[in-house]
Every structure is written in C-alpha cells, then in structure tokens.
Amino acid sequence: PVMIETCFLSLQSNGAGRFCKLPQGLEEETLSVEHSRSKLAYCVMDVPPWYLCILLGVQHCLTAFGGLIAIPLILSQALCLQHDALTQGYLISTIFFVSGLCTLLQVTFGVRLPILQGGTFTLLAPSLAVLSMPEWKCPAWTQNASLVNTSSPAFIEVWQSRMRELQGSIMVGSCFQILVGFSGLIGLFMRFIGPLTIAPTISLIGLSLFDSAGTSAGNHWGVAAMTTVLIIIFSQYLRDMSVPFPAYNKTKSFHSAKMYIFQILPVLLGITLSWLVCYLLTTYEVLPSHPEKYGYQARTDLKGDVIAQAPWFRLPYPGQWGMPTVSLAGVFGILAGVTSSMVESVGDYHACARLSGAPPPPKHAINRGVAMEGVGCLLAGAWGTGNGTTSYSENVGALGITKVGSRMVIVTSGILMVIMGTFGKIGAIFTTIPSPVIGGMLLVMFGVISAAGVSNLQYADMNSSRNIFIFGFSMFTGLAIPNWILKNPSAIATGLIELDHVLQVLLTTSMFMGGFFGFVLDNTIPGSKRERGLEAWSEAHHEDPDNFPESSMVYNLPFSFSSRLSSSFSSSWMKWVCYLPFCPPTKSISQEQDPLGIMENKAKPDPPQIAIGTAL
C-alpha cells in the first residue's frame, strides 16, 4: 500500500509550525525542508481557511502596490499622458488585471509556487529608451496642460501610437522567452551567466532611472523627503515592532494577535500618510494654488475630477489601444530586458521554494515557470500595459514574514487583482497621488533595486583584481555610453535606418550595456569557477530536487494531468511526451502514486531534453 504523509498543525506560543511525519529512513533526507517548514503555519500545498486566504491575499496585493502603480505613472510621462489622468487610471487598471491573470497562470500551470506576477522594471528601461528616440519624443504642445484636449483624435493618436509600438515589441520579445522556457534553454544560459553579469545588469536598472525619480521628487522635496523618511522608519527601524490586532478562533475566542505590519506594508503606509498630509495641506491652502509656483504639484486636487469621470466598471481587453506595431529596434531593446528578467526569476523560484517549505524546483518546473512568464509578457503586450510581467521579489519576502507559504493565498491574490482591474475608479484613485509622493517612493525603490544587484557579488571573490575590474568597468560604461549617446543622438549614422534605430536603443539602455560587458569579460578573461563565483552561485540556486521525495507532489502538472500522461506512455505514439523539457520526467510522474519513493522505480535516466526540446 502507498504510505501517505500526514501533517498536523502545532500551535505554539511563538507562532504556528508545520511538522510532517515521515518514514524513519527519510527523516534525515528531508531534514533541510522540515527545518524550513517547522516555522510555517501553512506549507505550499496546504489550504488555509477562506477568510485567511482573503486577508493574506489582500496583503500580497498591497505589498505589490508600489511597483504596480509606479510603472504606469513613470511610463505616462514618455507616452505624453502626464495631463491625462483618466487614461493613466486605465493603464493602472489594466496592469492590475493582467498581473492577476498572469499570477493565476503561473501558480496553476507554471512553476506552481506561491509567487506573485506583476510589472517589471527590467522592461521599463528599454521601453523608455525606445520612446526617447527622436520620432517618439512628445510634441511640445502635449507638455502644456492648457493646450491638451484629452478627447481629441490628434492627442489620442499621439499616445496610442507610442503604446502600440511598445505592445508589438513586447509581444515579439516575449516569444523568445516562451521558446527559452519550453525548450529548456534557460539551463544552458545559466551556465554562462554568473554574479558578475547579473550584478551590473540589475544595479543599472535602478541607477539608470535616477532622473525619473529625481524629477518627480523635485516637484516638492519636502513632501518627497517625508515619504522617504516614513518608508525608511517603517521598513528599517520599526520592522521588528509588532502591533496588536483583534483576532478570533474557536480555541481562544476573541483575543489579540501580534502583526508585524511595519515589516509587511512599509511602502503602503509611507505613501498613505504622505498622501494624507498633502490632502490636509491642500485643504487648508498651505500649498500654492498657482501652477507656476514651486510646490503646486504636491496638491491632491490637480486631478480631482478624474474619479468622477472614471466608470465604475471597465473590462480591459486585448487590443484596446489599437493594432500593435513592431519595429526591429524595439524588439532588440525588449530582448535585453527579457533576458535579465528570466535570470532574475530563476533566483526568485529558489528563494520562494525555501520560504514556502517546498523542495527546490526541478528543471521541468523552472522551464514551465520561465515559459509562463513569457506567456504573461505576451498577454501584457496584447492588453496594452506598456510593460511585461515577472516574479515579484517583494512578495517572496512577504512569505517569510507571514509564515504562510500556501499557493492558495496567491491564487486568491490573483483573483483579487483581476477584480480590482475591472473597477475603473480604483485605478483613478491611484492617479491622484501627488508626484512628489511617488518620487519619494521611487528614491527608496530604485535604491533597493541597485543594491539588490550589487548583493549578487557576495558569491564572487571580490578580493580578486579580475572581478573588481569587470564589475567596475561594466558599471561605468553602462552609465557613460548611454549618457553620451543621449546627448549626441546624431552620432549613429550607418546608412541603414533600422540598424541606426537598433543601435540607438541598445546603446542607450544602461542595463544592456553593463550586462553585455560583464558577460563578455567574465567569460573571456581567465578565472577559476570559484573566483568567478559560479560554484557558490550554483550551490545557492541549484539544489538537487531528487533529494526531496515531495518534489513531484508540489511541481507536477495540475488536475492529475501528470497521471494521464503516465498512463499514455504505454502507447508508443505518446512516449515522446516524456522528453519535453517542461513535462515531469517518468520518475516524477510515477511518484504521484508513490510520493515518498517507497515502491521500486525503474524509470530511465533523464534524456537530453534541451536538444530534443529545441528540435521540437
């Protein structure tokens, strides 16, 4: 008979823990996973009560709040929409809707871990580079609020033509990510991409956006500084302070429970308090009412009628801004962002698995996860968010704080984001946040992104002059070359217009330049794997999932699809399915009936899936 793993919840004074009874021979084998799970109230496959799913689902939505609203508001400047708050609200609603849809696809058919999907800053930099080209710069009259008629066909065509350019580039670029995921090529990429490539790439995402953050914050440095200080206080100084909240359960009836709200929602709290202060300063006429005076942009009544204009219900749909257009320059720029997004997501999968009490993700799950993110970018391009989707590191961190690793909570978050995206007034409310408040948030957010990139250097030997040279040169050229090209746009003149556009976009994308030099130098300058950080990088991100017998239970395809595949293998014409890089291997599928690996398994070793998948 099949031995079934039995779990029970043990409530302790310091929290709830998950303990699993395993056969004696497997206790040592799964010790590392059990050590992680002992701190969890709910593991990845557990289903909390419905009210807890909703509560924690809302929390995950709020955690992703900063990134989800920052991207459309930053893009609106380059799309000539700074004076069209209603359309900005539509963009925010659309990115909420698509992020929820992609989250459901990722949790159900992708990597199957409790990981939220949302807009990505890795695609923001190349998108801004595309829109900075001479033919896409905003006309002067769109910068003057008195000359802009948001309902005129001329203005609508100005911003929609730019949006359609981004849509087409993102959709074509996402096809590359889908191919890499379903063919299993991501494993091949990871052999050559190490810390010295990732560090400058991620760091330059934040550093290259300093102008956007500084411009928004500069509209009122006092308000921006207040927002920044509040976020720093909540996230750093008060992170370990718990706040009592009323709670109820059958055992203790009504009682108070501790919640680390400052650690969970520092960005939301900082923005909300600053927003409230700006509202009070506007109400009592402390802020200037003349558009030419400094501090006017901090008022909360600049877009006061947008909430009344926005419809209660609006369903985003593909092609809502028109038929997407494609340019070679845009596609190449987006490919640079897609590549770094893929590598970053692989690290997020392993971090999410550790924090949710799941085994390390096997290759077929990683392949599906990367491919599903490509599908998400394809959907984001079709719907017209002006951006793609990626895994949210902030929500991965929230798993460790809440001690709830259930993927059902993330499913609830996805459903809530889809619902939020269909209410037009929700997006309209977010557009009324004063730009200095957004600027203060971006100062913190982009700083953290830059530091997160540098943190990858912990795996490399930074006492090595080789590594210091590679990182320093990559960072400096990633800033210097784009800055010079932007000041001298006519310097690129090869005689081929399309080639000029491609070079213009790539050479003005800081993350591409830094990552390119880091990749080339790290793979050509002699150095040992230990010196390059590849050994420590591999140990941290590539544990062997075969050491964990529960792997098939977590990562196999949903709706018993793996079992159906297993039964189909008896047919000779279906045997090729097990060779697909995104399908569970025969050994994993057979473990659905033998999840602990007790029965004898005569599965053949894994085939060369990369070559076969690419051929298919």
Side-chain angles (χ1 to χ4, degrees), residues 384-398:
T385 65
N387 200 252
T389 60
T390 191
S391 301
Y392 262 30
S393 303
E394 300 96 322
N395 293 83
V396 173

Side-chain angles (χ1 to χ4, degrees), residues 450-493:
S450 301
V454 176
S455 68
N456 288 280
L457 296 176
Q458 64 183 297
Y459 301 106
D461 180 12
M462 293 313 292
N463 290 320
S464 166
S465 59
R466 170 195 183 274
N467 294 348
I468 291 175
F469 165 75
I470 293 174
F471 178 70
F473 183 79
S474 301
M475 290 290 291
F476 192 79
T477 52
L479 293 172
I481 293 177
N483 180 64
W484 188 86
I485 295 295
L486 288 173
K487 292 180 178 179
N488 302 274
S490 60
I492 301 177

Side-chain angles (χ1 to χ4, degrees), residues 163-169 171 319 321-326 381-382:
M163 175 60 80
R164 292 195 295 267
E165 177 75 9
L166 292 182
Q167 286 184 255
S169 301
M171 292 176 71
W321 318 128
M323 181 64 69
T325 58
V326 181

Side-chain angles (χ1 to χ4, degrees), residues 13 126 185 189 238 269 316 320 323 352 396 449 453 482 502 532 535 553:
S13 58
L185 285 172
F189 284 178
L238 302 181
L269 291 174
Q320 57 185 333
M323 181 64 69
C352 183
V396 173
I449 291 174
V502 170
R532 297 171 60 189
E535 286 186 1
M553 300 166 61

Side-chain angles (χ1 to χ4, degrees), residues 252-549:
K252 297 183 179 180
S253 186
F254 286 101
H255 64 283
S256 63
K258 294 181 179 180
M259 181 177 291
Y260 293 89
I261 189 170
F262 298 117
Q263 194 175 27
I264 298 170
L265 305 172
V267 175
L268 179 66
L269 291 174
I271 289 178
T272 303
L273 288 178
S274 297
W275 197 357
L276 178 61
V277 170
C278 289
Y279 172 77
L280 294 175
L281 295 178
T282 303
T283 303
Y284 292 101
E285 295 297 332
V286 176
L287 295 172
S289 57
H290 194 277
E292 299 299 326
K293 289 189 176 181
Y294 180 79
Y296 174 76
Q297 294 295 328
R299 296 181 66 92
T300 57
D301 59 356
L302 301 183
K303 306 171 184 177
D305 58 341
V306 66
I307 299 176
Q309 292 177 3
W312 276 104
F313 180 81
R314 179 183 179 274
L315 183 65
Y317 58 92
Q320 57 185 333
W321 318 128
M323 181 64 69
T325 58
V326 181
S327 69
L328 193 62
V331 171
F332 271 90
I334 295 299
L335 283 177
V338 164
T339 303
S340 32
S341 177
M342 286 190 293
V343 177
E344 186 182 7
S345 293
V346 172
D348 287 336
Y349 297 158
H350 287 272
C352 183
R354 286 195 299 269
L355 291 174
S356 62
K363 292 180 180 178
H364 65 86
I366 292 176
N367 292 338
R368 288 202 313 271
V370 170
M372 207 52 62
E373 286 193 16
V375 173
C377 288
L378 184 66
L379 296 178
W383 257 264
T385 65
N387 200 252
T389 60
T390 191
S391 301
Y392 262 30
S393 303
E394 300 96 322
N395 293 83
V396 173
L399 297 176
I401 298 171
T402 61
K403 308 302 180 187
V404 175
S406 171
R407 60 186 170 205
M408 187 55 64
V409 171
I410 302 298
V411 169
T412 307
S413 298
I415 295 172
L416 290 174
M417 284 196 292
V418 169
I419 294 174
M420 290 173 64
T422 59
F423 286 95
K425 290 194 182 294
I426 292 179
I429 290 173
F430 291 140
T431 65
T432 63
I433 302 175
S435 63
V437 176
I438 297 296
M441 176 192 69
L442 295 180
L443 291 176
V444 176
M445 186 173 294
F446 292 157
V448 171
I449 291 174
S450 301
V454 176
S455 68
N456 288 280
L457 296 176
Q458 64 183 297
Y459 301 106
D461 180 12
M462 293 313 292
N463 290 320
S464 166
S465 59
R466 170 195 183 274
N467 294 348
I468 291 175
F469 165 75
I470 293 174
F471 178 70
F473 183 79
S474 301
M475 290 290 291
F476 192 79
T477 52
L479 293 172
I481 293 177
N483 180 64
W484 188 86
I485 295 295
L486 288 173
K487 292 180 178 179
N488 302 274
S490 60
I492 301 177
T494 63
L496 298 174
I497 297 178
E498 283 298 325
L499 180 58
D500 290 348
H501 290 173
V502 170
L503 293 176
Q504 175 83 16
V505 170
L506 293 180
L507 294 178
T508 54
T509 305
S510 294
M511 55 171 284
F512 168 76
M513 295 304 302
F516 173 77
F517 283 113
F519 175 81
V520 172
L521 295 175
D522 188 36
N523 285 280
T524 55
I525 297 178
S528 65
K529 288 188 175 182
R530 187 187 204 92
E531 183 182 15
R532 297 171 60 189
L534 295 180
E535 286 186 1
W537 178 271
S538 179
E539 291 174 3
H541 292 85
H542 297 89
E543 294 180 85
D544 186 6
D546 290 336
N547 293 333
F548 301 90

